[in-house]
Amino acid sequence: MKYQPVIGLEIHVELNTKSKMFCSCPNDPDEKHPNINVCPICLGHPGTLPVINKEAVKKVIKTGLALNCQILEYSKFDRKSYFYPDLPKGYQISQYDMPLCKDGFLLINRKKIRIKRVHLEEDTGRLIHEKDYSLVDFNRAGIPLMELVTKPDLKSAKEARKFAEEFQLILRYLNVSNADMEKGQMRVEVNVSLQATRKLGTKVEIKNLNSFRAVERAIDYEIERQTRVLDLGKKVIQETRGWDESRGVTLSQREKEEAHDYRYFPEPDLPPLHFRKEEIDEIGAEIPELPQQRRKRFKKEYKLKDLTVEFFVQNKDLGEYFEKVVSEFEPRLSPEKLSKLIKLATNYLITDLQGLLKGASVSGEDFLITPENFAEFITLIADGKISSKIAKTVLEEMFKAGADPSHIIEEKELSLVTDEVEIEKTIKEVISKNQKAVLDFKKGKENALQFLIGQVMVVTKGRANPQIVRKILGRVLDKIS
Ligand code: ADP
Ligand code: ZN
Ligand code: MG
């Protein structure tokens, strides 16, 4: 490659606090009715005073600690002045030179991506553009907004996407935001430049990225576009471009020359923030196990394949349910038996249970299967008490009614028939009704045997142990001349 792509990210995240950043209005990003979560403070009426939301500050510090940042002992809020119809005060309360967190990093594919800062600000209202007029909804105005800025350490579209995805996962583990990109709870802006010499190239900022896929596509497009510009001997101009999803291109929005002066100055209505070390340690103690630690532990503790580990790390609730199920297996099992149970449990959770859940969560209120019952279910399969076909029915029943598996098996008479006398009786019945198949088998048609086994399974409603059926059927057919 002639030019080295250089990429830095700026990511805004709406925090999931109960109330807004500087007033007690509900923070409800799902509210559909416009302008009801509003008050004189978040509408910027004169004479009102903001009050800092402590929970929001804690959530930013938590995120900073999880990203290996330094938490500043002294921090403050600043006014960023600009005019726009979605900003009722005429300024945004943000942080300028003393952010809550700075100088962290996140490992992506074992490479350190440095984080320049993580700060706290407030969200703006939402503009809805109609044909020849625009509407303003201030429900979102004043929602706590966290901003993360990376150093330009990312080298490809894939790597940048991975960073954003891992960051989203961390936010969810920390329970600081649901960080849904489609809902605008997490907004990624990318800065892209090409480096030809030792000096960094001119960067272009891209906005309007509503999915991880858009992040990746926009960067790849921009790398190609800038390569063409440089190959023609021209210069890349510093500008903001917007991603056009349907055309798959970035389009110029404004050139940096007209970048405004925000006239930052310390917010006079809010006190500066001061944290003692113990306060920061207390917040740090609330940080749960994070995705990267969990990957290592799942691999070591349960000896799962990388793909399975990743599935459980991404689907956090299901991963946690899996651990509860494993803890319900009989104690003092042989390592072989335990490993067999873990494999079976993994398969049933990832395929069958996922299918039944249809996107719902195992931590939801209407999920009825206790880890204890699931563990028993898996043990019954492992011990050959039910076939895999019956297992499906049992699991469906468990899912619907929440009963324990042995009850369901008893009630519905589902347990696997292993009684050879009973199976032989059924086989004789089937043979008497399927003389043609018997003849075919005698002529050497292997399919006929499969057909007869199938008939026995039909008559027993799938409850006969297939190995025993095969064995006895072979014996009975041998005796027929
Ligand atoms: P500014 O002061 O222009 O906003 P910053 O240094 O704060 O610039 O960086 C803003 C974002 O742009 C950061 O994510 C940073 O990593 C990224 N960035 C800075 N320089 C470059 C560059 N040459 N190429 C790509 N991204 C860059
Ligand atoms: Zn309000
Ligand atoms: Mg900002």
Side-chain angles (χ1 to χ4, degrees), residues 88-143:
K89 293 194 296 293
Y91 59 85
Q92 178 192 33
I93 304 181
S94 181
Q95 296 193 282
Y96 184 52
D97 53 348
M98 291 165 82
L100 283 165
C101 325
K102 66 169 198 186
D103 297 336
F105 66 87
L106 178 58
L107 287 173
I108 296 297
N109 302 330
R110 299 207 184 85
K111 185 177 128 189
K112 259 188 195 179
I113 307 302
R114 288 171 301 161
I115 288 153
K116 185 171 166 182
R117 57 188 282 155
V118 184
H119 75 247
L120 183 54
E121 55 189 38
E122 54 179 337
D123 209 347
T124 60
R126 196 193 289 276
L127 294 179
I128 298 128
H129 301 290
E130 299 291 342
K131 210 164 166 199
D132 44 11
Y133 61 94
S134 293
L135 298 165
V136 199
D137 177 7
F138 287 118
N139 284 341
R140 201 179 72 176
I143 284 183

Short mmCIF file of all heavy atoms in Angstrom, two decimals, residues 88-143:
data_model
loop_
_atom_site.label_atom_id
_atom_site.label_comp_id
_atom_site.label_asym_id
_atom_site.label_seq_id
_atom_site.Cartn_x
_atom_site.Cartn_y
_atom_site.Cartn_z
N PRO A 88 -31.75 24.97 22.95
CA PRO A 88 -32.54 26.11 23.45
C PRO A 88 -31.72 27.17 24.19
O PRO A 88 -32.05 28.35 24.13
CB PRO A 88 -33.58 25.47 24.37
CG PRO A 88 -33.15 24.07 24.61
CD PRO A 88 -32.25 23.68 23.48
N LYS A 89 -30.68 26.78 24.91
CA LYS A 89 -29.94 27.78 25.69
C LYS A 89 -29.02 28.65 24.85
O LYS A 89 -28.56 29.69 25.30
CB LYS A 89 -29.06 27.08 26.76
CG LYS A 89 -29.84 26.37 27.86
CD LYS A 89 -28.95 26.01 29.06
CE LYS A 89 -27.86 25.03 28.75
NZ LYS A 89 -28.37 23.69 28.41
N GLY A 90 -28.72 28.21 23.63
CA GLY A 90 -27.73 28.94 22.84
C GLY A 90 -26.31 28.50 23.19
O GLY A 90 -25.34 29.00 22.64
N TYR A 91 -26.20 27.59 24.10
CA TYR A 91 -24.91 26.96 24.40
C TYR A 91 -25.16 25.56 24.93
O TYR A 91 -26.25 25.26 25.44
CB TYR A 91 -24.10 27.78 25.42
CG TYR A 91 -24.80 27.99 26.75
CD1 TYR A 91 -24.71 27.03 27.76
CD2 TYR A 91 -25.55 29.14 26.99
CE1 TYR A 91 -25.35 27.20 28.98
CE2 TYR A 91 -26.20 29.33 28.22
CZ TYR A 91 -26.09 28.35 29.20
OH TYR A 91 -26.72 28.52 30.39
N GLN A 92 -24.16 24.72 24.77
CA GLN A 92 -24.22 23.35 25.29
C GLN A 92 -23.29 23.27 26.49
O GLN A 92 -22.17 23.77 26.42
CB GLN A 92 -23.76 22.37 24.19
CG GLN A 92 -23.73 20.91 24.64
CD GLN A 92 -22.98 20.01 23.64
OE1 GLN A 92 -22.02 20.44 23.00
NE2 GLN A 92 -23.44 18.78 23.50
N ILE A 93 -23.75 22.70 27.59
CA ILE A 93 -22.83 22.49 28.70
C ILE A 93 -22.02 21.22 28.38
O ILE A 93 -22.59 20.16 28.14
CB ILE A 93 -23.55 22.35 30.06
CG1 ILE A 93 -24.44 23.58 30.30
CG2 ILE A 93 -22.54 22.17 31.19
CD1 ILE A 93 -25.19 23.58 31.63
N SER A 94 -20.70 21.40 28.34
CA SER A 94 -19.81 20.32 27.94
C SER A 94 -18.57 20.39 28.81
O SER A 94 -18.57 21.08 29.84
CB SER A 94 -19.48 20.48 26.46
OG SER A 94 -18.64 19.45 26.02
N GLN A 95 -17.52 19.70 28.43
CA GLN A 95 -16.25 19.82 29.15
C GLN A 95 -15.17 20.10 28.12
O GLN A 95 -15.11 19.46 27.08
CB GLN A 95 -15.94 18.52 29.89
CG GLN A 95 -16.94 18.20 30.98
CD GLN A 95 -16.41 17.10 31.89
OE1 GLN A 95 -16.43 15.93 31.55
NE2 GLN A 95 -15.89 17.51 33.06
N TYR A 96 -14.32 21.06 28.43
CA TYR A 96 -13.33 21.48 27.45
C TYR A 96 -11.92 21.01 27.81
O TYR A 96 -11.45 19.99 27.30
CB TYR A 96 -13.38 23.00 27.31
CG TYR A 96 -12.48 23.56 26.25
CD1 TYR A 96 -12.52 23.07 24.94
CD2 TYR A 96 -11.60 24.61 26.54
CE1 TYR A 96 -11.68 23.59 23.97
CE2 TYR A 96 -10.77 25.14 25.56
CZ TYR A 96 -10.81 24.62 24.28
OH TYR A 96 -9.99 25.13 23.32
N ASP A 97 -11.28 21.71 28.74
CA ASP A 97 -9.88 21.38 29.01
C ASP A 97 -9.68 20.49 30.24
O ASP A 97 -8.57 20.07 30.52
CB ASP A 97 -9.06 22.67 29.16
CG ASP A 97 -9.66 23.62 30.19
OD1 ASP A 97 -10.82 23.39 30.60
OD2 ASP A 97 -8.99 24.58 30.59
N MET A 98 -10.74 20.23 30.98
CA MET A 98 -10.61 19.35 32.14
C MET A 98 -11.68 18.26 32.12
O MET A 98 -12.61 18.24 32.92
CB MET A 98 -10.70 20.17 33.44
CG MET A 98 -9.50 21.08 33.64
SD MET A 98 -9.78 22.33 34.90
CE MET A 98 -9.47 21.42 36.39
N PRO A 99 -11.56 17.31 31.19
CA PRO A 99 -12.56 16.25 31.07
C PRO A 99 -12.48 15.32 32.30
O PRO A 99 -11.48 15.33 33.00
CB PRO A 99 -12.14 15.51 29.81
CG PRO A 99 -10.67 15.71 29.73
CD PRO A 99 -10.41 17.09 30.29
N LEU A 100 -13.51 14.55 32.52
CA LEU A 100 -13.49 13.63 33.67
C LEU A 100 -12.39 12.57 33.54
O LEU A 100 -11.76 12.21 34.52
CB LEU A 100 -14.86 12.93 33.81
CG LEU A 100 -15.98 13.78 34.41
CD1 LEU A 100 -17.34 13.13 34.16
CD2 LEU A 100 -15.76 13.95 35.92
N CYS A 101 -12.17 12.09 32.30
CA CYS A 101 -11.20 11.00 32.11
C CYS A 101 -10.27 11.30 30.94
O CYS A 101 -10.71 11.84 29.92
CB CYS A 101 -11.90 9.69 31.78
SG CYS A 101 -13.48 9.43 32.60
N LYS A 102 -9.01 10.90 31.07
CA LYS A 102 -8.11 11.05 29.92
C LYS A 102 -7.06 9.93 29.89
O LYS A 102 -6.87 9.21 30.87
CB LYS A 102 -7.44 12.42 29.95
CG LYS A 102 -6.49 12.63 31.12
CD LYS A 102 -5.67 13.90 30.96
CE LYS A 102 -4.47 13.85 31.88
NZ LYS A 102 -3.70 15.07 31.90
N ASP A 103 -6.40 9.82 28.75
CA ASP A 103 -5.25 8.92 28.57
C ASP A 103 -5.51 7.46 28.94
O ASP A 103 -4.85 6.91 29.82
CB ASP A 103 -4.04 9.42 29.37
CG ASP A 103 -3.57 10.78 28.87
OD1 ASP A 103 -3.85 11.09 27.69
OD2 ASP A 103 -2.97 11.54 29.65
N GLY A 104 -6.45 6.85 28.27
CA GLY A 104 -6.71 5.42 28.50
C GLY A 104 -6.34 4.61 27.27
O GLY A 104 -5.68 5.11 26.35
N PHE A 105 -6.77 3.37 27.26
CA PHE A 105 -6.58 2.55 26.05
C PHE A 105 -7.55 1.38 26.07
O PHE A 105 -8.07 1.01 27.14
CB PHE A 105 -5.14 2.03 25.95
CG PHE A 105 -4.76 1.05 27.02
CD1 PHE A 105 -5.01 -0.31 26.86
CD2 PHE A 105 -4.17 1.48 28.21
CE1 PHE A 105 -4.68 -1.23 27.87
CE2 PHE A 105 -3.84 0.57 29.22
CZ PHE A 105 -4.09 -0.78 29.04
N LEU A 106 -7.77 0.82 24.90
CA LEU A 106 -8.58 -0.40 24.77
C LEU A 106 -7.80 -1.33 23.85
O LEU A 106 -7.29 -0.89 22.82
CB LEU A 106 -9.96 -0.05 24.17
CG LEU A 106 -10.92 -1.21 23.92
CD1 LEU A 106 -11.21 -2.01 25.19
CD2 LEU A 106 -12.25 -0.69 23.34
N LEU A 107 -7.70 -2.60 24.24
CA LEU A 107 -6.98 -3.56 23.40
C LEU A 107 -7.92 -4.09 22.32
O LEU A 107 -9.00 -4.58 22.63
CB LEU A 107 -6.48 -4.73 24.25
CG LEU A 107 -5.30 -4.46 25.17
CD1 LEU A 107 -5.03 -5.67 26.06
CD2 LEU A 107 -4.05 -4.08 24.38
N ILE A 108 -7.48 -3.94 21.07
CA ILE A 108 -8.24 -4.51 19.95
C ILE A 108 -7.29 -5.42 19.20
O ILE A 108 -6.26 -4.95 18.69
CB ILE A 108 -8.78 -3.39 19.02
CG1 ILE A 108 -9.79 -2.51 19.77
CG2 ILE A 108 -9.43 -3.98 17.76
CD1 ILE A 108 -11.05 -3.19 20.25
N ASN A 109 -7.63 -6.70 19.15
CA ASN A 109 -6.70 -7.70 18.58
C ASN A 109 -5.30 -7.55 19.18
O ASN A 109 -4.31 -7.52 18.47
CB ASN A 109 -6.62 -7.58 17.05
CG ASN A 109 -7.98 -7.76 16.39
OD1 ASN A 109 -8.83 -8.46 16.92
ND2 ASN A 109 -8.18 -7.11 15.26
N ARG A 110 -5.25 -7.44 20.46
CA ARG A 110 -4.00 -7.32 21.26
C ARG A 110 -3.22 -6.04 21.00
O ARG A 110 -2.09 -5.88 21.45
CB ARG A 110 -3.07 -8.52 21.01
CG ARG A 110 -3.70 -9.84 21.41
CD ARG A 110 -2.62 -10.84 21.79
NE ARG A 110 -3.21 -12.12 22.06
CZ ARG A 110 -3.48 -13.02 21.10
NH1 ARG A 110 -3.17 -12.77 19.85
NH2 ARG A 110 -4.03 -14.16 21.42
N LYS A 111 -3.80 -5.12 20.23
CA LYS A 111 -3.11 -3.87 19.97
C LYS A 111 -3.76 -2.76 20.79
O LYS A 111 -4.99 -2.68 20.88
CB LYS A 111 -3.24 -3.55 18.47
CG LYS A 111 -2.45 -2.34 18.05
CD LYS A 111 -2.56 -2.15 16.54
CE LYS A 111 -3.01 -0.74 16.23
NZ LYS A 111 -3.34 -0.53 14.83
N LYS A 112 -2.90 -1.91 21.39
CA LYS A 112 -3.42 -0.83 22.22
C LYS A 112 -3.95 0.31 21.36
O LYS A 112 -3.21 0.90 20.59
CB LYS A 112 -2.30 -0.27 23.10
CG LYS A 112 -2.33 -0.77 24.51
CD LYS A 112 -1.34 -0.05 25.39
CE LYS A 112 -1.17 -0.85 26.68
NZ LYS A 112 -0.22 -0.26 27.62
N ILE A 113 -5.23 0.62 21.47
CA ILE A 113 -5.77 1.81 20.83
C ILE A 113 -5.92 2.85 21.93
O ILE A 113 -6.68 2.67 22.88
CB ILE A 113 -7.15 1.52 20.19
CG1 ILE A 113 -7.08 0.30 19.25
CG2 ILE A 113 -7.68 2.76 19.47
CD1 ILE A 113 -6.07 0.41 18.12
N ARG A 114 -5.15 3.91 21.82
CA ARG A 114 -5.15 4.91 22.90
C ARG A 114 -6.43 5.75 22.89
O ARG A 114 -6.97 6.08 21.84
CB ARG A 114 -3.93 5.83 22.76
CG ARG A 114 -2.61 5.14 23.12
CD ARG A 114 -1.43 6.02 22.76
NE ARG A 114 -1.44 6.33 21.32
CZ ARG A 114 -0.76 7.33 20.77
NH1 ARG A 114 -0.04 8.15 21.52
NH2 ARG A 114 -0.82 7.53 19.46
N ILE A 115 -6.88 6.07 24.09
CA ILE A 115 -8.05 6.93 24.24
C ILE A 115 -7.60 8.28 24.79
O ILE A 115 -6.90 8.34 25.80
CB ILE A 115 -9.09 6.26 25.16
CG1 ILE A 115 -9.73 5.09 24.38
CG2 ILE A 115 -10.16 7.24 25.60
CD1 ILE A 115 -10.23 3.99 25.23
N LYS A 116 -7.96 9.31 24.06
CA LYS A 116 -7.50 10.64 24.44
C LYS A 116 -8.29 11.17 25.63
O LYS A 116 -7.72 11.68 26.59
CB LYS A 116 -7.70 11.55 23.22
CG LYS A 116 -7.17 12.94 23.36
CD LYS A 116 -7.25 13.64 22.00
CE LYS A 116 -7.07 15.13 22.16
NZ LYS A 116 -7.19 15.83 20.86
N ARG A 117 -9.60 11.03 25.57
CA ARG A 117 -10.42 11.55 26.65
C ARG A 117 -11.83 10.96 26.64
O ARG A 117 -12.30 10.46 25.61
CB ARG A 117 -10.55 13.08 26.53
CG ARG A 117 -11.13 13.52 25.17
CD ARG A 117 -11.06 15.00 25.00
NE ARG A 117 -12.11 15.68 25.75
CZ ARG A 117 -12.02 16.93 26.17
NH1 ARG A 117 -10.94 17.64 25.92
NH2 ARG A 117 -13.01 17.49 26.83
N VAL A 118 -12.48 11.00 27.79
CA VAL A 118 -13.91 10.69 27.88
C VAL A 118 -14.52 11.80 28.71
O VAL A 118 -14.06 12.06 29.82
CB VAL A 118 -14.17 9.33 28.59
CG1 VAL A 118 -15.67 9.01 28.55
CG2 VAL A 118 -13.37 8.21 27.96
N HIS A 119 -15.47 12.52 28.16
CA HIS A 119 -16.08 13.60 28.92
C HIS A 119 -17.61 13.55 28.92
O HIS A 119 -18.20 12.71 28.24
CB HIS A 119 -15.54 14.97 28.45
CG HIS A 119 -16.10 15.42 27.15
ND1 HIS A 119 -15.33 15.54 26.01
CD2 HIS A 119 -17.35 15.81 26.79
CE1 HIS A 119 -16.09 15.98 25.02
NE2 HIS A 119 -17.32 16.16 25.47
N LEU A 120 -18.18 14.45 29.70
CA LEU A 120 -19.64 14.46 29.89
C LEU A 120 -20.22 15.76 29.37
O LEU A 120 -19.66 16.84 29.61
CB LEU A 120 -19.93 14.29 31.39
CG LEU A 120 -21.38 14.20 31.86
CD1 LEU A 120 -22.13 13.11 31.13
CD2 LEU A 120 -21.42 13.92 33.37
N GLU A 121 -21.34 15.67 28.66
CA GLU A 121 -22.02 16.87 28.17
C GLU A 121 -23.52 16.57 28.12
O GLU A 121 -23.97 15.59 28.70
CB GLU A 121 -21.46 17.30 26.81
CG GLU A 121 -21.49 16.21 25.75
CD GLU A 121 -20.73 16.58 24.48
OE1 GLU A 121 -19.66 17.23 24.56
OE2 GLU A 121 -21.21 16.21 23.40
N GLU A 122 -24.28 17.41 27.47
CA GLU A 122 -25.73 17.18 27.38
C GLU A 122 -26.13 17.07 25.91
O GLU A 122 -25.53 17.69 25.05
CB GLU A 122 -26.49 18.33 28.06
CG GLU A 122 -26.09 19.70 27.51
CD GLU A 122 -26.86 20.85 28.15
OE1 GLU A 122 -27.96 20.61 28.67
OE2 GLU A 122 -26.37 21.99 28.08
N ASP A 123 -27.15 16.27 25.68
CA ASP A 123 -27.63 16.07 24.31
C ASP A 123 -28.49 17.27 23.88
O ASP A 123 -28.96 18.04 24.71
CB ASP A 123 -28.45 14.78 24.21
CG ASP A 123 -28.36 14.14 22.83
OD1 ASP A 123 -27.89 14.82 21.90
OD2 ASP A 123 -28.76 12.96 22.70
N THR A 124 -28.68 17.41 22.59
CA THR A 124 -29.53 18.47 22.05
C THR A 124 -30.93 17.92 21.79
O THR A 124 -31.15 16.71 21.93
CB THR A 124 -28.97 18.97 20.71
OG1 THR A 124 -28.95 17.86 19.81
CG2 THR A 124 -27.57 19.52 20.87
N GLY A 125 -31.84 18.78 21.41
CA GLY A 125 -33.17 18.31 21.00
C GLY A 125 -33.07 17.63 19.64
O GLY A 125 -31.99 17.47 19.08
N ARG A 126 -34.24 17.24 19.14
CA ARG A 126 -34.26 16.54 17.85
C ARG A 126 -35.06 17.36 16.85
O ARG A 126 -36.14 17.84 17.18
CB ARG A 126 -34.92 15.19 18.06
CG ARG A 126 -34.70 14.18 16.97
CD ARG A 126 -35.66 13.02 17.16
NE ARG A 126 -35.33 12.19 18.31
CZ ARG A 126 -34.43 11.20 18.29
NH1 ARG A 126 -33.79 10.92 17.17
NH2 ARG A 126 -34.20 10.48 19.36
N LEU A 127 -34.49 17.53 15.66
CA LEU A 127 -35.22 18.26 14.61
C LEU A 127 -35.88 17.27 13.66
O LEU A 127 -35.28 16.28 13.27
CB LEU A 127 -34.25 19.14 13.81
CG LEU A 127 -33.60 20.30 14.59
CD1 LEU A 127 -32.64 21.07 13.67
CD2 LEU A 127 -34.65 21.25 15.14
N ILE A 128 -37.12 17.56 13.33
CA ILE A 128 -37.82 16.72 12.37
C ILE A 128 -38.13 17.59 11.17
O ILE A 128 -38.87 18.58 11.27
CB ILE A 128 -39.12 16.14 12.98
CG1 ILE A 128 -38.75 15.26 14.19
CG2 ILE A 128 -39.90 15.32 11.96
CD1 ILE A 128 -39.51 15.59 15.43
N HIS A 129 -37.50 17.25 10.05
CA HIS A 129 -37.66 18.10 8.87
C HIS A 129 -38.80 17.62 8.00
O HIS A 129 -38.79 16.51 7.51
CB HIS A 129 -36.36 18.13 8.07
CG HIS A 129 -35.20 18.65 8.88
ND1 HIS A 129 -35.10 19.97 9.25
CD2 HIS A 129 -34.13 18.03 9.41
CE1 HIS A 129 -34.00 20.14 9.96
NE2 HIS A 129 -33.39 18.97 10.08
N GLU A 130 -39.80 18.47 7.83
CA GLU A 130 -40.91 18.16 6.92
C GLU A 130 -40.61 18.87 5.60
O GLU A 130 -39.55 19.47 5.45
CB GLU A 130 -42.24 18.63 7.53
CG GLU A 130 -42.58 17.97 8.86
CD GLU A 130 -42.91 16.47 8.72
OE1 GLU A 130 -43.20 16.02 7.59
OE2 GLU A 130 -42.86 15.77 9.75
N LYS A 131 -41.57 18.83 4.69
CA LYS A 131 -41.31 19.34 3.35
C LYS A 131 -40.87 20.81 3.34
O LYS A 131 -39.81 21.13 2.82
CB LYS A 131 -42.56 19.18 2.48
CG LYS A 131 -42.20 18.98 1.01
CD LYS A 131 -43.38 18.45 0.24
CE LYS A 131 -43.13 18.55 -1.23
NZ LYS A 131 -44.40 18.46 -1.97
N ASP A 132 -41.69 21.69 3.92
CA ASP A 132 -41.26 23.09 3.90
C ASP A 132 -41.25 23.74 5.28
O ASP A 132 -41.42 24.94 5.41
CB ASP A 132 -42.09 23.91 2.90
CG ASP A 132 -43.57 23.59 3.02
OD1 ASP A 132 -43.93 22.90 4.01
OD2 ASP A 132 -44.36 24.00 2.14
N TYR A 133 -41.12 22.92 6.30
CA TYR A 133 -40.95 23.45 7.65
C TYR A 133 -40.25 22.39 8.49
O TYR A 133 -40.14 21.23 8.07
CB TYR A 133 -42.30 23.82 8.28
CG TYR A 133 -43.26 22.67 8.43
CD1 TYR A 133 -43.33 21.94 9.62
CD2 TYR A 133 -44.10 22.29 7.36
CE1 TYR A 133 -44.20 20.88 9.75
CE2 TYR A 133 -44.97 21.22 7.48
CZ TYR A 133 -45.02 20.51 8.68
OH TYR A 133 -45.87 19.46 8.81
N SER A 134 -39.80 22.76 9.68
CA SER A 134 -39.15 21.80 10.58
C SER A 134 -39.80 21.87 11.95
O SER A 134 -40.29 22.92 12.37
CB SER A 134 -37.66 22.11 10.69
OG SER A 134 -37.03 21.86 9.46
N LEU A 135 -39.79 20.73 12.64
CA LEU A 135 -40.35 20.65 13.98
C LEU A 135 -39.22 20.38 14.98
O LEU A 135 -38.22 19.78 14.62
CB LEU A 135 -41.39 19.53 14.05
CG LEU A 135 -42.60 19.71 13.13
CD1 LEU A 135 -43.38 18.39 13.00
CD2 LEU A 135 -43.50 20.82 13.65
N VAL A 136 -39.42 20.83 16.22
CA VAL A 136 -38.41 20.57 17.24
C VAL A 136 -39.01 19.78 18.39
O VAL A 136 -40.08 20.14 18.89
CB VAL A 136 -37.84 21.89 17.83
CG1 VAL A 136 -36.51 21.64 18.51
CG2 VAL A 136 -37.71 22.96 16.76
N ASP A 137 -38.32 18.73 18.79
CA ASP A 137 -38.74 17.93 19.95
C ASP A 137 -37.63 18.02 21.00
O ASP A 137 -36.50 17.58 20.76
CB ASP A 137 -38.96 16.47 19.50
CG ASP A 137 -39.31 15.56 20.67
OD1 ASP A 137 -39.51 16.07 21.79
OD2 ASP A 137 -39.39 14.33 20.45
N PHE A 138 -37.97 18.58 22.16
CA PHE A 138 -36.95 18.78 23.20
C PHE A 138 -36.89 17.65 24.24
O PHE A 138 -36.20 17.79 25.24
CB PHE A 138 -37.19 20.13 23.91
CG PHE A 138 -36.83 21.31 23.05
CD1 PHE A 138 -37.79 22.25 22.69
CD2 PHE A 138 -35.52 21.48 22.61
CE1 PHE A 138 -37.46 23.34 21.88
CE2 PHE A 138 -35.18 22.58 21.81
CZ PHE A 138 -36.15 23.51 21.45
N ASN A 139 -37.61 16.55 23.99
CA ASN A 139 -37.51 15.43 24.94
C ASN A 139 -36.06 14.98 25.14
O ASN A 139 -35.68 14.55 26.21
CB ASN A 139 -38.33 14.23 24.45
CG ASN A 139 -39.81 14.43 24.67
OD1 ASN A 139 -40.22 15.27 25.47
ND2 ASN A 139 -40.63 13.68 23.95
N ARG A 140 -35.28 15.07 24.09
CA ARG A 140 -33.88 14.60 24.15
C ARG A 140 -32.94 15.67 24.69
O ARG A 140 -31.82 15.38 25.09
CB ARG A 140 -33.44 14.17 22.74
CG ARG A 140 -32.26 13.23 22.73
CD ARG A 140 -31.88 12.83 21.32
NE ARG A 140 -31.26 13.94 20.61
CZ ARG A 140 -30.76 13.86 19.38
NH1 ARG A 140 -30.80 12.70 18.72
NH2 ARG A 140 -30.21 14.90 18.79
N ALA A 141 -33.40 16.93 24.69
CA ALA A 141 -32.53 18.03 25.11
C ALA A 141 -32.16 17.86 26.57
O ALA A 141 -33.03 17.75 27.43
CB ALA A 141 -33.22 19.37 24.89
N GLY A 142 -30.87 17.82 26.86
CA GLY A 142 -30.43 17.72 28.24
C GLY A 142 -30.23 16.30 28.73
O GLY A 142 -29.93 16.07 29.91
N ILE A 143 -30.39 15.30 27.86
CA ILE A 143 -30.07 13.93 28.27
C ILE A 143 -28.55 13.82 28.41
O ILE A 143 -27.81 14.38 27.60
CB ILE A 143 -30.64 12.91 27.23
CG1 ILE A 143 -32.15 12.77 27.42
CG2 ILE A 143 -29.94 11.56 27.34
CD1 ILE A 143 -32.81 11.76 26.51
#
